[in-house]
Amino acid sequence: MMMNTTLDQLRSLKLLGMAAGLQDQLTSAGMTAMSFEERTALLVEREVHWRGDKRRERLLKEARLKYPQAAIEDMDARAGRGIDRKALMSLALSDWIDSGHSVLITGPTGAGKSWLACALAQYACRRGRSAYYQRMPRLGEELRIRHGNGTFGKWLIQLAKTDVLLLDDWGMAALDVQARSDLLEIIDDRAASKATIITSQLPIEHWHAWVGDATIADAILDRLMQQNHRLTLTGESLRQTAKTPQKEKNKDPS
């Protein structure tokens, strides 16, 4: 009865990791051989891990990644894709987020740019960093809605605080005057302080013309290029190779 009360109290205090750990201890015969200090240390460790897991779950949910299950461990680095696994892992494990670096991923459609970008952002979330995914073709609409309902200022502040901003499909849709100005504000808030990942089919040397205003383009690219890592993917479309003919699907694997 006393333990039931203790479990209820732990849950009421939101110490759910400790509550689960105590329940496990009560049903494990081996725990009786441990000292009070050892059992207490295990309960505290369980709570710390539980809170870390919940934080990572929350960060991944808030990131709204296109491919939330993408993981750098599953990266396809076969020959011909333009990916150096060692160099990419070195980047992922470096201080690029703390230093506010840009990661610029270019390549043809279907090369896996968005997946790779999401894998980097997902790994950032696993390390306790915040991330946010935004498709560039939908940015104009997002901005119009936020200007219309008065939430743009608050959203801008949130983006400025986000550790990793992922801008997917850069250069696919034209920017109007308002979108160009807002994009500069977004990039300027992050320059040299917060990390930005950009994916694009458009080669970097064409980005200036895509922005459409020379002055704003200079300002945006100057901030993005201060400290950047460039990844150029190559090879045939992974979407095509992923499509298996029906007769292959039904083929006996033996």
Side-chain angles (χ1 to χ4, degrees), residues 61-111:
K61 182 178 180 180
E62 292 176 348
R64 304 195 308 175
L65 299 177
K66 182 177 183 179
Y67 301 111
Q69 301 304 319
I72 55 174
E73 296 89 341
D74 300 328
M75 176 184 56
D76 181 356
R78 77 184 76 167
R81 291 208 60 215
I83 297 176
D84 183 328
R85 182 183 293 276
K86 184 176 180 180
L88 184 62
M89 292 304 297
S90 178
L91 167 62
L93 296 170
S94 71
D95 65 347
W96 68 281
I97 298 175
D98 290 328
S99 300
H101 291 184
S102 301
V103 178
L104 314 177
I105 306 175
T106 58
T109 182

mmCIF file of all heavy atoms in Angstrom, residues 61-111:
data_model
loop_
_atom_site.group_PDB
_atom_site.id
_atom_site.type_symbol
_atom_site.label_atom_id
_atom_site.label_comp_id
_atom_site.label_asym_id
_atom_site.label_seq_id
_atom_site.Cartn_x
_atom_site.Cartn_y
_atom_site.Cartn_z
ATOM 1 N N LYS A 61 8.999 16.293 -33.288
ATOM 2 C CA LYS A 61 7.624 16.640 -33.665
ATOM 3 C C LYS A 61 7.531 18.092 -34.110
ATOM 4 O O LYS A 61 6.895 18.419 -35.119
ATOM 5 C CB LYS A 61 6.684 16.388 -32.489
ATOM 6 C CG LYS A 61 5.217 16.676 -32.807
ATOM 7 C CD LYS A 61 4.332 16.364 -31.603
ATOM 8 C CE LYS A 61 2.862 16.656 -31.923
ATOM 9 N NZ LYS A 61 1.982 16.349 -30.756
ATOM 10 N N GLU A 62 8.190 18.984 -33.379
ATOM 11 C CA GLU A 62 8.152 20.407 -33.708
ATOM 12 C C GLU A 62 8.939 20.726 -34.973
ATOM 13 O O GLU A 62 8.664 21.720 -35.648
ATOM 14 C CB GLU A 62 8.705 21.222 -32.531
ATOM 15 C CG GLU A 62 7.816 21.175 -31.289
ATOM 16 C CD GLU A 62 8.427 21.899 -30.106
ATOM 17 O OE1 GLU A 62 9.634 22.248 -30.179
ATOM 18 O OE2 GLU A 62 7.714 22.106 -29.112
ATOM 19 N N ALA A 63 9.913 19.890 -35.315
ATOM 20 C CA ALA A 63 10.722 20.132 -36.517
ATOM 21 C C ALA A 63 9.910 19.962 -37.796
ATOM 22 O O ALA A 63 10.215 20.575 -38.814
ATOM 23 C CB ALA A 63 11.922 19.186 -36.535
ATOM 24 N N ARG A 64 8.899 19.111 -37.770
ATOM 25 C CA ARG A 64 8.020 18.853 -38.927
ATOM 26 C C ARG A 64 8.816 18.466 -40.172
ATOM 27 O O ARG A 64 8.570 18.942 -41.281
ATOM 28 C CB ARG A 64 7.142 20.066 -39.224
ATOM 29 C CG ARG A 64 6.307 20.543 -38.064
ATOM 30 C CD ARG A 64 5.216 21.494 -38.487
ATOM 31 N NE ARG A 64 5.695 22.592 -39.297
ATOM 32 C CZ ARG A 64 4.911 23.501 -39.863
ATOM 33 N NH1 ARG A 64 3.601 23.442 -39.687
ATOM 34 N NH2 ARG A 64 5.405 24.475 -40.601
ATOM 35 N N LEU A 65 9.779 17.577 -39.984
ATOM 36 C CA LEU A 65 10.629 17.154 -41.089
ATOM 37 C C LEU A 65 9.846 16.369 -42.135
ATOM 38 O O LEU A 65 8.948 15.606 -41.794
ATOM 39 C CB LEU A 65 11.779 16.287 -40.568
ATOM 40 C CG LEU A 65 12.738 16.943 -39.568
ATOM 41 C CD1 LEU A 65 13.767 15.930 -39.103
ATOM 42 C CD2 LEU A 65 13.408 18.161 -40.180
ATOM 43 N N LYS A 66 10.215 16.533 -43.378
ATOM 44 C CA LYS A 66 9.572 15.789 -44.459
ATOM 45 C C LYS A 66 9.841 14.299 -44.298
ATOM 46 O O LYS A 66 8.975 13.459 -44.586
ATOM 47 C CB LYS A 66 10.109 16.282 -45.806
ATOM 48 C CG LYS A 66 9.471 15.596 -47.013
ATOM 49 C CD LYS A 66 9.994 16.197 -48.312
ATOM 50 C CE LYS A 66 9.313 15.576 -49.528
ATOM 51 N NZ LYS A 66 9.802 16.182 -50.794
ATOM 52 N N TYR A 67 11.051 13.963 -43.850
ATOM 53 C CA TYR A 67 11.427 12.577 -43.610
ATOM 54 C C TYR A 67 11.906 12.446 -42.163
ATOM 55 O O TYR A 67 13.120 12.419 -41.893
ATOM 56 C CB TYR A 67 12.542 12.141 -44.565
ATOM 57 C CG TYR A 67 12.185 12.260 -46.031
ATOM 58 C CD1 TYR A 67 12.793 13.217 -46.843
ATOM 59 C CD2 TYR A 67 11.238 11.425 -46.600
ATOM 60 C CE1 TYR A 67 12.465 13.329 -48.192
ATOM 61 C CE2 TYR A 67 10.900 11.525 -47.947
ATOM 62 C CZ TYR A 67 11.517 12.491 -48.729
ATOM 63 O OH TYR A 67 11.184 12.603 -50.064
ATOM 64 N N PRO A 68 10.972 12.359 -41.210
ATOM 65 C CA PRO A 68 11.364 12.326 -39.792
ATOM 66 C C PRO A 68 12.164 11.101 -39.390
ATOM 67 O O PRO A 68 12.874 11.132 -38.389
ATOM 68 C CB PRO A 68 10.004 12.376 -39.062
ATOM 69 C CG PRO A 68 9.016 11.849 -40.055
ATOM 70 C CD PRO A 68 9.511 12.318 -41.381
ATOM 71 N N GLN A 69 12.065 10.015 -40.159
ATOM 72 C CA GLN A 69 12.799 8.801 -39.826
ATOM 73 C C GLN A 69 14.184 8.754 -40.482
ATOM 74 O O GLN A 69 14.930 7.786 -40.274
ATOM 75 C CB GLN A 69 11.988 7.570 -40.247
ATOM 76 C CG GLN A 69 10.619 7.463 -39.606
ATOM 77 C CD GLN A 69 10.690 7.492 -38.081
ATOM 78 O OE1 GLN A 69 11.558 6.880 -37.484
ATOM 79 N NE2 GLN A 69 9.765 8.220 -37.464
ATOM 80 N N ALA A 70 14.506 9.772 -41.287
ATOM 81 C CA ALA A 70 15.821 9.791 -41.942
ATOM 82 C C ALA A 70 16.921 9.862 -40.890
ATOM 83 O O ALA A 70 16.845 10.664 -39.964
ATOM 84 C CB ALA A 70 15.918 10.991 -42.887
ATOM 85 N N ALA A 71 17.925 9.020 -41.032
ATOM 86 C CA ALA A 71 19.028 8.990 -40.062
ATOM 87 C C ALA A 71 20.351 8.889 -40.811
ATOM 88 O O ALA A 71 20.462 8.134 -41.789
ATOM 89 C CB ALA A 71 18.872 7.802 -39.113
ATOM 90 N N ILE A 72 21.335 9.621 -40.347
ATOM 91 C CA ILE A 72 22.626 9.623 -41.042
ATOM 92 C C ILE A 72 23.255 8.235 -41.043
ATOM 93 O O ILE A 72 24.038 7.908 -41.930
ATOM 94 C CB ILE A 72 23.591 10.659 -40.429
ATOM 95 C CG1 ILE A 72 23.760 10.419 -38.921
ATOM 96 C CG2 ILE A 72 23.124 12.065 -40.703
ATOM 97 C CD1 ILE A 72 24.803 11.320 -38.302
ATOM 98 N N GLU A 73 22.877 7.396 -40.068
ATOM 99 C CA GLU A 73 23.414 6.035 -40.038
ATOM 100 C C GLU A 73 22.931 5.206 -41.233
ATOM 101 O O GLU A 73 23.578 4.229 -41.618
ATOM 102 C CB GLU A 73 23.010 5.322 -38.740
ATOM 103 C CG GLU A 73 23.574 5.950 -37.479
ATOM 104 C CD GLU A 73 22.683 7.034 -36.892
ATOM 105 O OE1 GLU A 73 21.813 7.567 -37.626
ATOM 106 O OE2 GLU A 73 22.843 7.353 -35.706
ATOM 107 N N ASP A 74 21.784 5.588 -41.794
ATOM 108 C CA ASP A 74 21.208 4.846 -42.927
ATOM 109 C C ASP A 74 21.557 5.451 -44.283
ATOM 110 O O ASP A 74 21.007 5.050 -45.305
ATOM 111 C CB ASP A 74 19.675 4.807 -42.786
ATOM 112 C CG ASP A 74 19.237 4.122 -41.513
ATOM 113 O OD1 ASP A 74 19.944 3.202 -41.069
ATOM 114 O OD2 ASP A 74 18.190 4.513 -40.959
ATOM 115 N N MET A 75 22.464 6.393 -44.281
ATOM 116 C CA MET A 75 22.808 7.112 -45.507
ATOM 117 C C MET A 75 23.357 6.174 -46.576
ATOM 118 O O MET A 75 24.172 5.293 -46.299
ATOM 119 C CB MET A 75 23.849 8.188 -45.178
ATOM 120 C CG MET A 75 24.385 8.959 -46.358
ATOM 121 S SD MET A 75 25.671 10.095 -45.806
ATOM 122 C CE MET A 75 26.806 8.969 -45.005
ATOM 123 N N ASP A 76 22.887 6.364 -47.802
ATOM 124 C CA ASP A 76 23.343 5.589 -48.947
ATOM 125 C C ASP A 76 24.559 6.297 -49.549
ATOM 126 O O ASP A 76 24.424 7.308 -50.218
ATOM 127 C CB ASP A 76 22.214 5.483 -49.979
ATOM 128 C CG ASP A 76 22.605 4.663 -51.205
ATOM 129 O OD1 ASP A 76 23.782 4.249 -51.283
ATOM 130 O OD2 ASP A 76 21.748 4.454 -52.072
ATOM 131 N N ALA A 77 25.728 5.747 -49.296
ATOM 132 C CA ALA A 77 26.966 6.386 -49.762
ATOM 133 C C ALA A 77 27.646 5.565 -50.842
ATOM 134 O O ALA A 77 28.858 5.586 -50.980
ATOM 135 C CB ALA A 77 27.916 6.608 -48.587
ATOM 136 N N ARG A 78 26.851 4.862 -51.636
ATOM 137 C CA ARG A 78 27.423 4.047 -52.712
ATOM 138 C C ARG A 78 28.179 4.937 -53.708
ATOM 139 O O ARG A 78 27.902 6.131 -53.831
ATOM 140 C CB ARG A 78 26.327 3.269 -53.424
ATOM 141 C CG ARG A 78 25.499 4.100 -54.375
ATOM 142 C CD ARG A 78 24.360 3.328 -55.003
ATOM 143 N NE ARG A 78 23.256 3.145 -54.069
ATOM 144 C CZ ARG A 78 22.048 2.723 -54.445
ATOM 145 N NH1 ARG A 78 21.824 2.413 -55.700
ATOM 146 N NH2 ARG A 78 21.091 2.604 -53.554
ATOM 147 N N ALA A 79 29.084 4.330 -54.421
ATOM 148 C CA ALA A 79 29.884 5.069 -55.411
ATOM 149 C C ALA A 79 28.984 5.709 -56.451
ATOM 150 O O ALA A 79 27.999 5.125 -56.889
ATOM 151 C CB ALA A 79 30.871 4.120 -56.081
ATOM 152 N N GLY A 80 29.320 6.935 -56.828
ATOM 153 C CA GLY A 80 28.559 7.635 -57.848
ATOM 154 C C GLY A 80 27.522 8.595 -57.296
ATOM 155 O O GLY A 80 26.904 9.342 -58.057
ATOM 156 N N ARG A 81 27.326 8.604 -55.974
ATOM 157 C CA ARG A 81 26.333 9.514 -55.393
ATOM 158 C C ARG A 81 26.947 10.839 -54.953
ATOM 159 O O ARG A 81 26.231 11.764 -54.607
ATOM 160 C CB ARG A 81 25.646 8.859 -54.187
ATOM 161 C CG ARG A 81 24.732 7.694 -54.562
ATOM 162 C CD ARG A 81 23.629 7.541 -53.551
ATOM 163 N NE ARG A 81 22.831 8.753 -53.495
ATOM 164 C CZ ARG A 81 22.283 9.218 -52.369
ATOM 165 N NH1 ARG A 81 22.467 8.611 -51.226
ATOM 166 N NH2 ARG A 81 21.555 10.321 -52.393
ATOM 167 N N GLY A 82 28.267 10.916 -54.941
ATOM 168 C CA GLY A 82 28.923 12.156 -54.559
ATOM 169 C C GLY A 82 28.977 12.385 -53.071
ATOM 170 O O GLY A 82 29.185 13.519 -52.624
ATOM 171 N N ILE A 83 28.772 11.315 -52.280
ATOM 172 C CA ILE A 83 28.772 11.447 -50.818
ATOM 173 C C ILE A 83 29.998 10.758 -50.245
ATOM 174 O O ILE A 83 30.241 9.584 -50.505
ATOM 175 C CB ILE A 83 27.503 10.830 -50.201
ATOM 176 C CG1 ILE A 83 26.256 11.570 -50.692
ATOM 177 C CG2 ILE A 83 27.574 10.884 -48.682
ATOM 178 C CD1 ILE A 83 24.964 10.960 -50.189
ATOM 179 N N ASP A 84 30.757 11.489 -49.458
ATOM 180 C CA ASP A 84 31.885 10.939 -48.724
ATOM 181 C C ASP A 84 31.402 10.684 -47.298
ATOM 182 O O ASP A 84 31.210 11.619 -46.527
ATOM 183 C CB ASP A 84 33.051 11.928 -48.742
ATOM 184 C CG ASP A 84 34.299 11.384 -48.059
ATOM 185 O OD1 ASP A 84 34.157 10.613 -47.100
ATOM 186 O OD2 ASP A 84 35.409 11.749 -48.470
ATOM 187 N N ARG A 85 31.157 9.416 -46.961
ATOM 188 C CA ARG A 85 30.584 9.090 -45.651
ATOM 189 C C ARG A 85 31.428 9.650 -44.504
ATOM 190 O O ARG A 85 30.890 10.215 -43.548
ATOM 191 C CB ARG A 85 30.451 7.581 -45.498
ATOM 192 C CG ARG A 85 29.825 7.160 -44.168
ATOM 193 C CD ARG A 85 29.790 5.653 -44.039
ATOM 194 N NE ARG A 85 28.885 5.055 -45.001
ATOM 195 C CZ ARG A 85 27.577 4.936 -44.791
ATOM 196 N NH1 ARG A 85 27.042 5.394 -43.669
ATOM 197 N NH2 ARG A 85 26.818 4.369 -45.702
ATOM 198 N N LYS A 86 32.741 9.500 -44.607
ATOM 199 C CA LYS A 86 33.613 9.971 -43.545
ATOM 200 C C LYS A 86 33.500 11.485 -43.370
ATOM 201 O O LYS A 86 33.411 11.993 -42.244
ATOM 202 C CB LYS A 86 35.062 9.588 -43.848
ATOM 203 C CG LYS A 86 36.042 9.950 -42.746
ATOM 204 C CD LYS A 86 37.452 9.462 -43.072
ATOM 205 C CE LYS A 86 38.413 9.830 -41.949
ATOM 206 N NZ LYS A 86 39.804 9.349 -42.261
ATOM 207 N N ALA A 87 33.477 12.214 -44.487
ATOM 208 C CA ALA A 87 33.379 13.677 -44.429
ATOM 209 C C ALA A 87 32.027 14.118 -43.877
ATOM 210 O O ALA A 87 31.950 15.077 -43.097
ATOM 211 C CB ALA A 87 33.591 14.271 -45.825
ATOM 212 N N LEU A 88 30.955 13.407 -44.269
ATOM 213 C CA LEU A 88 29.628 13.773 -43.792
ATOM 214 C C LEU A 88 29.489 13.508 -42.300
ATOM 215 O O LEU A 88 28.929 14.324 -41.567
ATOM 216 C CB LEU A 88 28.559 13.004 -44.567
ATOM 217 C CG LEU A 88 27.116 13.376 -44.216
ATOM 218 C CD1 LEU A 88 26.850 14.842 -44.536
ATOM 219 C CD2 LEU A 88 26.128 12.501 -44.970
ATOM 220 N N MET A 89 30.002 12.377 -41.826
ATOM 221 C CA MET A 89 29.938 12.081 -40.400
ATOM 222 C C MET A 89 30.769 13.079 -39.610
ATOM 223 O O MET A 89 30.394 13.493 -38.515
ATOM 224 C CB MET A 89 30.428 10.660 -40.135
ATOM 225 C CG MET A 89 29.513 9.567 -40.674
ATOM 226 S SD MET A 89 27.811 9.683 -40.043
ATOM 227 C CE MET A 89 28.093 9.429 -38.284
ATOM 228 N N SER A 90 31.887 13.487 -40.191
ATOM 229 C CA SER A 90 32.726 14.493 -39.540
ATOM 230 C C SER A 90 31.964 15.806 -39.403
ATOM 231 O O SER A 90 32.041 16.480 -38.369
ATOM 232 C CB SER A 90 34.007 14.707 -40.345
ATOM 233 O OG SER A 90 34.815 15.708 -39.762
ATOM 234 N N LEU A 91 31.208 16.163 -40.454
ATOM 235 C CA LEU A 91 30.385 17.371 -40.402
ATOM 236 C C LEU A 91 29.304 17.246 -39.334
ATOM 237 O O LEU A 91 29.117 18.143 -38.503
ATOM 238 C CB LEU A 91 29.734 17.627 -41.762
ATOM 239 C CG LEU A 91 28.608 18.674 -41.801
ATOM 240 C CD1 LEU A 91 29.131 20.047 -41.404
ATOM 241 C CD2 LEU A 91 27.965 18.720 -43.181
ATOM 242 N N ALA A 92 28.574 16.115 -39.334
ATOM 243 C CA ALA A 92 27.474 15.924 -38.392
ATOM 244 C C ALA A 92 27.949 15.995 -36.946
ATOM 245 O O ALA A 92 27.237 16.507 -36.073
ATOM 246 C CB ALA A 92 26.792 14.583 -38.659
ATOM 247 N N LEU A 93 29.151 15.509 -36.693
ATOM 248 C CA LEU A 93 29.678 15.465 -35.330
ATOM 249 C C LEU A 93 30.444 16.730 -34.942
ATOM 250 O O LEU A 93 30.872 16.859 -33.795
ATOM 251 C CB LEU A 93 30.608 14.254 -35.171
ATOM 252 C CG LEU A 93 29.945 12.880 -35.322
ATOM 253 C CD1 LEU A 93 31.002 11.788 -35.390
ATOM 254 C CD2 LEU A 93 28.975 12.625 -34.181
ATOM 255 N N SER A 94 30.591 17.658 -35.896
ATOM 256 C CA SER A 94 31.350 18.882 -35.623
ATOM 257 C C SER A 94 30.475 19.921 -34.913
ATOM 258 O O SER A 94 29.333 19.661 -34.544
ATOM 259 C CB SER A 94 31.881 19.462 -36.940
ATOM 260 O OG SER A 94 30.822 20.018 -37.716
ATOM 261 N N ASP A 95 31.025 21.123 -34.773
ATOM 262 C CA ASP A 95 30.314 22.198 -34.076
ATOM 263 C C ASP A 95 29.597 23.125 -35.053
ATOM 264 O O ASP A 95 29.400 24.306 -34.768
ATOM 265 C CB ASP A 95 31.280 23.011 -33.212
ATOM 266 C CG ASP A 95 32.322 23.762 -34.032
ATOM 267 O OD1 ASP A 95 32.448 23.455 -35.249
ATOM 268 O OD2 ASP A 95 33.007 24.639 -33.475
ATOM 269 N N TRP A 96 29.174 22.594 -36.225
ATOM 270 C CA TRP A 96 28.556 23.443 -37.251
ATOM 271 C C TRP A 96 27.291 24.128 -36.748
ATOM 272 O O TRP A 96 26.968 25.239 -37.171
ATOM 273 C CB TRP A 96 28.265 22.635 -38.506
ATOM 274 C CG TRP A 96 27.187 21.594 -38.376
ATOM 275 C CD1 TRP A 96 27.302 20.362 -37.803
ATOM 276 C CD2 TRP A 96 25.832 21.696 -38.813
ATOM 277 N NE1 TRP A 96 26.105 19.685 -37.855
ATOM 278 C CE2 TRP A 96 25.183 20.475 -38.477
ATOM 279 C CE3 TRP A 96 25.097 22.683 -39.467
ATOM 280 C CZ2 TRP A 96 23.841 20.240 -38.765
ATOM 281 C CZ3 TRP A 96 23.758 22.446 -39.754
ATOM 282 C CH2 TRP A 96 23.138 21.235 -39.411
ATOM 283 N N ILE A 97 26.581 23.488 -35.829
ATOM 284 C CA ILE A 97 25.357 24.101 -35.300
ATOM 285 C C ILE A 97 25.710 25.243 -34.358
ATOM 286 O O ILE A 97 25.183 26.358 -34.481
ATOM 287 C CB ILE A 97 24.500 23.043 -34.584
ATOM 288 C CG1 ILE A 97 24.073 21.953 -35.565
ATOM 289 C CG2 ILE A 97 23.267 23.697 -33.951
ATOM 290 C CD1 ILE A 97 23.322 20.806 -34.922
ATOM 291 N N ASP A 98 26.608 24.991 -33.416
ATOM 292 C CA ASP A 98 27.014 26.033 -32.465
ATOM 293 C C ASP A 98 27.644 27.223 -33.176
ATOM 294 O O ASP A 98 27.490 28.368 -32.746
ATOM 295 C CB ASP A 98 28.021 25.465 -31.456
ATOM 296 C CG ASP A 98 27.379 24.490 -30.493
ATOM 297 O OD1 ASP A 98 26.189 24.666 -30.176
ATOM 298 O OD2 ASP A 98 28.062 23.538 -30.069
ATOM 299 N N SER A 99 28.354 26.956 -34.266
ATOM 300 C CA SER A 99 29.061 28.026 -34.978
ATOM 301 C C SER A 99 28.196 28.737 -36.012
ATOM 302 O O SER A 99 28.648 29.678 -36.651
ATOM 303 C CB SER A 99 30.310 27.454 -35.664
ATOM 304 O OG SER A 99 31.186 26.883 -34.714
ATOM 305 N N GLY A 100 26.956 28.276 -36.188
ATOM 306 C CA GLY A 100 26.049 28.936 -37.121
ATOM 307 C C GLY A 100 26.443 28.771 -38.577
ATOM 308 O O GLY A 100 26.268 29.690 -39.382
ATOM 309 N N HIS A 101 26.952 27.603 -38.940
ATOM 310 C CA HIS A 101 27.358 27.366 -40.325
ATOM 311 C C HIS A 101 26.155 27.045 -41.214
ATOM 312 O O HIS A 101 25.111 26.608 -40.738
ATOM 313 C CB HIS A 101 28.337 26.202 -40.395
ATOM 314 C CG HIS A 101 29.664 26.503 -39.784
ATOM 315 N ND1 HIS A 101 30.725 25.624 -39.815
ATOM 316 C CD2 HIS A 101 30.122 27.605 -39.108
ATOM 317 C CE1 HIS A 101 31.767 26.147 -39.209
ATOM 318 N NE2 HIS A 101 31.428 27.354 -38.754
ATOM 319 N N SER A 102 26.343 27.234 -42.510
ATOM 320 C CA SER A 102 25.339 26.846 -43.502
ATOM 321 C C SER A 102 25.783 25.539 -44.157
ATOM 322 O O SER A 102 26.967 25.331 -44.405
ATOM 323 C CB SER A 102 25.204 27.922 -44.596
ATOM 324 O OG SER A 102 24.827 29.155 -44.045
ATOM 325 N N VAL A 103 24.815 24.672 -44.434
ATOM 326 C CA VAL A 103 25.081 23.439 -45.182
ATOM 327 C C VAL A 103 24.274 23.547 -46.469
ATOM 328 O O VAL A 103 23.038 23.609 -46.434
ATOM 329 C CB VAL A 103 24.679 22.181 -44.400
ATOM 330 C CG1 VAL A 103 24.918 20.931 -45.238
ATOM 331 C CG2 VAL A 103 25.458 22.100 -43.095
ATOM 332 N N LEU A 104 24.952 23.590 -47.604
ATOM 333 C CA LEU A 104 24.315 23.806 -48.894
ATOM 334 C C LEU A 104 24.390 22.505 -49.701
ATOM 335 O O LEU A 104 25.479 22.077 -50.104
ATOM 336 C CB LEU A 104 25.021 24.941 -49.644
ATOM 337 C CG LEU A 104 25.309 26.203 -48.806
ATOM 338 C CD1 LEU A 104 26.079 27.227 -49.642
ATOM 339 C CD2 LEU A 104 24.032 26.797 -48.236
ATOM 340 N N ILE A 105 23.216 21.892 -49.916
ATOM 341 C CA ILE A 105 23.152 20.590 -50.594
ATOM 342 C C ILE A 105 22.511 20.776 -51.964
ATOM 343 O O ILE A 105 21.351 21.173 -52.061
ATOM 344 C CB ILE A 105 22.337 19.586 -49.766
ATOM 345 C CG1 ILE A 105 22.889 19.485 -48.338
ATOM 346 C CG2 ILE A 105 22.352 18.213 -50.425
ATOM 347 C CD1 ILE A 105 22.058 18.603 -47.417
ATOM 348 N N THR A 106 23.255 20.504 -53.012
ATOM 349 C CA THR A 106 22.733 20.665 -54.367
ATOM 350 C C THR A 106 22.838 19.340 -55.130
ATOM 351 O O THR A 106 23.576 18.430 -54.737
ATOM 352 C CB THR A 106 23.503 21.757 -55.134
ATOM 353 O OG1 THR A 106 24.897 21.419 -55.168
ATOM 354 C CG2 THR A 106 23.331 23.107 -54.466
ATOM 355 N N GLY A 107 22.103 19.264 -56.230
ATOM 356 C CA GLY A 107 22.118 18.057 -57.045
ATOM 357 C C GLY A 107 20.822 17.923 -57.816
ATOM 358 O O GLY A 107 19.864 18.667 -57.581
ATOM 359 N N PRO A 108 20.761 16.973 -58.738
ATOM 360 C CA PRO A 108 19.570 16.800 -59.578
ATOM 361 C C PRO A 108 18.390 16.272 -58.788
ATOM 362 O O PRO A 108 18.529 15.797 -57.651
ATOM 363 C CB PRO A 108 20.039 15.785 -60.635
ATOM 364 C CG PRO A 108 21.107 14.995 -59.933
ATOM 365 C CD PRO A 108 21.821 15.999 -59.067
ATOM 366 N N THR A 109 17.202 16.352 -59.378
ATOM 367 C CA THR A 109 16.002 15.857 -58.716
ATOM 368 C C THR A 109 16.129 14.368 -58.437
ATOM 369 O O THR A 109 16.661 13.599 -59.241
ATOM 370 C CB THR A 109 14.753 16.115 -59.595
ATOM 371 O OG1 THR A 109 13.591 15.653 -58.900
ATOM 372 C CG2 THR A 109 14.843 15.402 -60.926
ATOM 373 N N GLY A 110 15.660 13.961 -57.271
ATOM 374 C CA GLY A 110 15.685 12.560 -56.895
ATOM 375 C C GLY A 110 17.017 12.063 -56.371
ATOM 376 O O GLY A 110 17.168 10.881 -56.074
ATOM 377 N N ALA A 111 17.996 12.950 -56.222
ATOM 378 C CA ALA A 111 19.330 12.527 -55.775
ATOM 379 C C ALA A 111 19.400 12.263 -54.282
ATOM 380 O O ALA A 111 20.396 11.736 -53.788
ATOM 381 C CB ALA A 111 20.372 13.574 -56.169
#
